[in-house]
Amino acid sequence: MKIIISHDVDHLYFSDHLLKDLIIEKLWVRSFIHLLQKRITLKSFFYRIFYGKRMNHITEVMEYDKKHFIPSVFFFGMDNVLGMSYSQKKASSIIKMVLNNNFAVGVHGCNYQNLEKMQKEHDDFMNISDLKSFGIRNHYVRFDDETFEKMDKCCYKYDSTEFNKNELETKKPYKVGNMWEFPLHIMDGYICFPGKLQQGLESTFAAIEKAKEEGCPYCTILFHDYQFDEKRYPDEKKWYEKTIEYCEQSGYEFISYDDAIKELEA
């Protein structure tokens, strides 16, 4: 079994959320509750309240992944929904920066029911990235019974949206028309919680081994780049680092979605 690492880019800058959504306000409330529960420190609370300009940590994640020979992919939004509020113009320069660092990019989809809007996201990303073939994962892993067939019609190479929010599920990749579907197995926010790092790590390691035991050729893991932040999200950052260390020490090889498809179609 090999490991596929991906990163959903939900936030770029603090200013993107001002007068557009309630992400910052919700962060403050949630952080205050976690502080009262002693799940985060006063220091982390302070840095979350006084956030600063930049919310993304794409550069830091790329540096870490490059050091550990991880061919990860970064998914960028082409529309705004559910707290993902940055513009295509702001995303464009960062997408090109990621490509120049030899990492893959894809679409963080906002629309999952309207085929016309889904196609526009695909085409906008194609024009921005100059790529002809790429994948997608929907924001908040939203999908219905027709989403994947519509993604195939939009000409996506692969998708990694299918995810069981209620329990760990390790499904193997399968094809929907010409598109490969890679079900998502492990997502940071559903397995590691503030103040419960050790529990999260134990659950993660068990999930990786479960995927192997059930014969999955690939275990898919998602980590949101904005949490690679020692000041604001120390447990989440440590979770990612320890998960990568576990994969390395256990002898698992990291692979990209594109190379996984080559293996599957060989």
Side-chain angles (χ1 to χ4, degrees):
M1 187 181 74
K2 299 179 181 179
I3 309 294
I4 300 177
I5 301 292
S6 58
H7 307 292
D8 289 353
V9 181
D10 288 353
H11 312 295
L12 289 181
Y13 302 101
F14 186 92
S15 59
D16 295 330
H17 300 288
L18 299 178
L19 304 179
K20 290 184 179 180
D21 56 49
L22 296 175
I23 283 294
I24 302 303
E25 290 83 354
K26 289 178 179 178
L27 171 65
W28 289 342
V29 172
R30 186 167 60 251
S31 298
F32 183 66
I33 293 172
H34 287 169
L35 178 65
L36 293 179
Q37 295 173 337
K38 299 183 178 180
R39 295 172 61 182
I40 64 172
T41 65
L42 183 60
K43 178 181 177 182
S44 292
F45 175 76
F46 175 84
Y47 279 114
R48 290 186 188 187
I49 296 300
F50 302 98
Y51 212 100
K53 178 181 178 180
R54 184 168 65 104
M55 295 186 74
N56 78 84
H57 285 271
I58 296 170
T59 300
E60 292 86 345
V61 171
M62 286 196 301
E63 290 176 355
Y64 181 85
D65 287 1
K66 190 175 295 185
K67 179 181 177 181
H68 291 268
F69 304 100
I70 303 170
S72 53
V73 57
F74 294 78
F75 293 107
F76 289 86
M78 291 290 101
D79 203 346
N80 298 149
V81 70
L82 295 173
M84 187 165 63
S85 299
Y86 55 83
S87 66
Q88 288 188 13
K89 182 178 180 180
K90 288 184 178 180
S92 177
S93 61
I94 299 180
I95 288 170
K96 292 172 183 176
M97 181 267 292
V98 172
L99 287 169
N100 288 336
N101 277 274
N102 298 315
F103 284 94
V105 293
V107 175
H108 199 26
C110 291
N111 300 287
Y112 69 100
Q113 294 177 316
N114 186 303
L115 179 58
E116 183 178 348
K117 291 181 178 180
M118 293 169 68
Q119 188 67 60
K120 185 178 186 304
E121 286 183 281
H122 175 280
D123 295 348
D124 286 350
F125 186 84
M126 182 172 61
N127 293 331
I128 287 173
S129 66
D130 290 326
L131 297 174
K132 302 302 181 184
S133 180
F134 45 86
I136 182 172
R137 174 184 294 118
N138 280 344
H139 189 39
Y140 275 70
V141 287
R142 298 191 302 168
F143 65 95
D144 62 21
D145 292 340
E146 299 179 353
T147 297
F148 302 146
E149 286 79 7
K150 290 175 180 177
M151 286 178 172
D152 175 53
K153 290 180 181 179
C154 292
C155 296
Y156 281 105
K157 185 176 184 179
Y158 66 86
D159 170 65
S160 190
T161 295
E162 183 177 351
F163 178 68
N164 190 329
K165 296 181 179 180
N166 300 313
E167 61 182 3
L168 175 67
E169 189 173 26
T170 54
K171 294 182 66 174
K172 298 178 182 179
Y174 60 91
K175 292 198 81 171
V176 179
N178 294 315
M179 182 187 78
W180 278 98
E181 178 64 31
F182 288 83
L184 178 60
H185 300 145
I186 300 171
M187 187 197 303
D188 46 10
Y190 278 83
I191 204 164
C192 182
F193 307 99
K196 299 182 180 181
L197 174 60
Q198 190 56 41
Q199 179 181 330
L201 289 172
E202 292 173 1
S203 298
T204 300
F205 302 160
I208 293 171
E209 296 309 316
K210 182 175 186 287
K212 179 181 179 181
E213 291 169 4
E214 295 185 352
C216 288
Y218 312 102
C219 179
T220 53
I221 301 176
L222 161 62
F223 175 73
H224 292 80
D225 69 280
Y226 75 90
Q227 295 188 130
F228 200 77
D229 184 338
E230 185 68 33
K231 294 178 179 178
R232 298 175 180 87
Y233 303 100
D235 284 348
E236 291 84 346
K237 180 175 183 288
K238 184 63 68 175
W239 173 84
Y240 182 61
E241 294 170 334
K242 289 295 184 181
T243 296
I244 296 303
E245 289 175 13
Y246 177 83
C247 292
E248 292 173 329
Q249 293 169 3
S250 300
Y252 291 115
E253 177 184 342
F254 298 105
I255 190 172
S256 67
Y257 283 107
D258 286 337
D259 286 341
I261 290 172
K262 291 177 182 178
E263 290 186 347
L264 290 167
E265 295 184 343

